[in-house]
Amino acid sequence: MKDVLIVGLGLAGISLCERLEAKGKTFDVYTDTSQKSSLVAGGLYNPVILKRFTMAWRADAQMDVAIPFYQQLQTKLGTQLDYKVKVLRRFTSIEEQNTWFEAADKPRLARFLNTHLHKNTNDGIDAPFGYGEVLETGRVATEKLVQLYAKYLEGISALHRTTFLYQDLQMLKDGVAYQGKKYEKVVFAEGFGLKSNPYFNYLPLNGTKGELLTVKIPGLRETSVIKSSVFIIPLEEDVYRIGATYKWKDKTNTPTDAAKEELLEKLEKFLKLPYTVEKHVAGIRPTVTDRRPLVGGHPIYEQLYVLNGFGSRGVLIAPEVSNQLVDAMYGTAQLHPEIDIQRFQNKYVAST
């Protein structure tokens, strides 16, 4: 018998594996890569909502957990995953500049908002009102992380590259059985795939489609992330990621021409150089109606848990929230009420 069966290997699944391993727990991971959100993510960690100049939910606490977490993963996997990069918010008016400075006076935001106004020095970008700089930011190479972590799990015989079959899961008095193996607990960290999960599909996971482009812009020579109506995220010389869209009706991972046109139209409003599109990807973010993660134990089956609902901020949220879940699973701490799925207990009752 192993301790835990994990379904899903995105940012949630990887964070969970690390927390369990640190506690000396054994586990198997099942993944079929049907969910693309972690694979196509921009990977930025940025504690500030740059549309309104406000702190993202618990972002300061999450930063304190996430940065050491990814540094540890870099050492473990023997490669760079965390790329320190400035995030510059392009101002569109003097009024936006003033709003930035007002936000920087707030105690929690002061740590992250630079009060020095950056003038635009890049002829390839139209930014007459300059930029505000967010501090302590960076980018995690999420696709690289998922691929390398999968290889690590294969090396310890803990990875199963196959679709998890819910009908094969059997409840036992002291755990569960799945295809001839026994486990004490199961954690579903399957992103938008939760919609097909018969144990947790009562939870209000909406899912928001996001599409991103990879473009080549010769001569731009920009090393900072530029946030305007879209992000420009530097990847390598002349290559940038552009994103992202937010669509609530389309629940497929198929890129669309409409999203591509939307992204390019926004990009061209401030980019002054020619470009070529090299790649177009899409994925469904696991978003929730109240914009808080879905974490905790099943109302009836005490062997079953869920770790989900990180939305577009999985890079920041996953390390801290997975830590909370593991502590709750083994009785050393309680979940924060804002993330505990007990808040949707009435939905489970209504679905039965």
Side-chain angles (χ1 to χ4, degrees):
M1 175 186 279
K2 286 191 175 183
D3 295 312
V4 183
L5 187 161
I6 301 169
V7 183
L9 191 65
L11 290 167
I14 290 171
S15 299
L16 180 62
C17 288
E18 286 294 287
R19 300 313 187 191
L20 289 170
E21 195 171 65
K23 283 188 174 287
K25 304 299 181 181
T26 56
F27 50 84
D28 281 330
V29 179
Y30 284 76
T31 179
D32 61 7
T33 66
S34 61
Q35 300 306 311
K36 307 293 185 183
S37 181
S38 293
L39 291 172
V40 305
L44 290 180
Y45 53 86
N46 159 36
V48 182
I49 298 173
L50 290 175
K51 187 175 183 179
R52 301 188 296 272
F53 306 155
T54 56
M55 180 75 73
W57 174 75
R58 287 182 53 81
D60 42 0
Q62 292 160 7
M63 288 279 286
D64 293 339
V65 176
I67 304 308
F69 176 81
Y70 292 115
Q71 290 173 346
Q72 179 183 332
L73 271 177
Q74 285 189 148
T75 302
K76 179 174 187 170
L77 299 176
T79 189
Q80 185 174 6
L81 298 166
D82 182 2
Y83 296 81
K84 304 302 181 185
V85 60
K86 289 181 182 179
V87 173
L88 301 180
R89 169 58 154 83
R90 174 180 174 267
F91 295 130
T92 58
S93 65
I94 297 295
E95 289 74 19
E96 275 199 338
Q97 292 178 358
N98 293 335
T99 303
W100 176 275
F101 293 125
E102 289 171 6
D105 284 337
K106 297 177 181 178
R108 290 178 65 202
L109 284 167
R111 168 183 168 186
F112 299 109
L113 298 185
N114 191 338
T115 54
H116 171 70
L117 180 66
H118 288 254
K119 292 184 178 180
N120 179 43
T121 58
N122 192 326
D123 292 338
I125 296 176
D126 179 33
F129 297 99
Y131 304 100
E133 179 191 354
V134 186
L135 304 173
E136 300 184 38
T137 56
R139 177 179 68 86
V140 174
T142 55
E143 183 176 10
K144 183 180 179 182
L145 170 58
V146 172
Q147 292 171 348
L148 290 178
Y149 205 85
K151 290 182 180 179
Y152 167 74
L153 292 177
E154 286 177 331
I156 61 172
S157 301
L159 185 67
H160 302 266
R161 294 183 184 270
T162 184
T163 300
F164 182 83
L165 303 175
Y166 303 103
Q167 64 269 26
D168 288 354
L169 186 65
Q170 298 174 277
M171 302 299 161
L172 307 175
K173 288 184 178 180
D174 58 347
V176 301
Y178 183 74
Q179 296 184 347
K181 297 182 179 181
K182 290 182 68 178
Y183 303 88
E184 290 182 357
K185 307 175 189 296
V186 182
V187 180
F188 294 101
E190 55 205 326
F192 189 65
L194 190 75
K195 298 296 288 185
S196 301
N197 186 318
Y199 300 101
F200 289 103
N201 59 8
Y202 70 93
L203 294 170
L205 187 75
N206 287 343
T208 306
K209 184 172 184 176
E211 301 190 41
L212 300 99
L213 304 175
T214 301
V215 301
K216 190 167 187 177
I217 313 175
L220 182 59
R221 295 186 295 276
E222 183 58 63
T223 58
S224 299
V225 173
I226 304 296
K227 173 63 173 80
S228 186
S229 48
V230 290
F231 277 101
I232 297 182
I233 304 172
L235 300 180
E236 54 190 78
E237 186 176 359
D238 290 341
V239 179
Y240 303 84
R241 180 159 285 176
I242 310 299
T245 59
Y246 289 80
K247 303 297 179 184
W248 290 268
K249 292 184 179 180
D250 182 0
K251 306 298 186 184
T252 71
N253 290 317
T254 305
T256 64
D257 289 339
K260 179 180 178 180
E261 291 174 8
E262 177 185 337
L263 290 171
L264 294 180
E265 181 180 334
K266 290 178 177 178
L267 175 65
E268 289 170 5
K269 287 182 178 179
F270 63 97
L271 179 68
K272 298 162 67 176
L273 293 174
Y275 61 85
T276 55
V277 177
E278 298 195 331
K279 191 176 181 181
H280 183 186
V281 296
I284 309 299
R285 307 178 189 89
T287 52
V288 186
T289 52
D290 65 359
R291 299 188 179 186
R292 298 292 181 266
L294 299 171
V295 186
H298 191 272
I300 303 297
Y301 302 111
E302 61 182 19
Q303 312 97 312
L304 306 184
Y305 296 83
V306 65
L307 181 64
N308 209 314
F310 298 165
S312 61
R313 292 185 172 268
V315 168
L316 264 186
I317 294 174
E320 193 234 3
V321 170
S322 61
N323 213 17
Q324 283 198 46
L325 177 61
V326 172
D327 286 346
M329 286 167 61
Y330 292 100
T332 59
Q334 290 185 329
L335 289 171
H336 194 287
E338 282 190 273
I339 69 173
D340 195 330
I341 60 170
Q342 284 190 9
R343 68 192 193 274
F344 297 118
Q345 182 78 12
N346 62 328
K347 290 186 177 292
Y348 178 76
V349 173
S351 69
T352 57

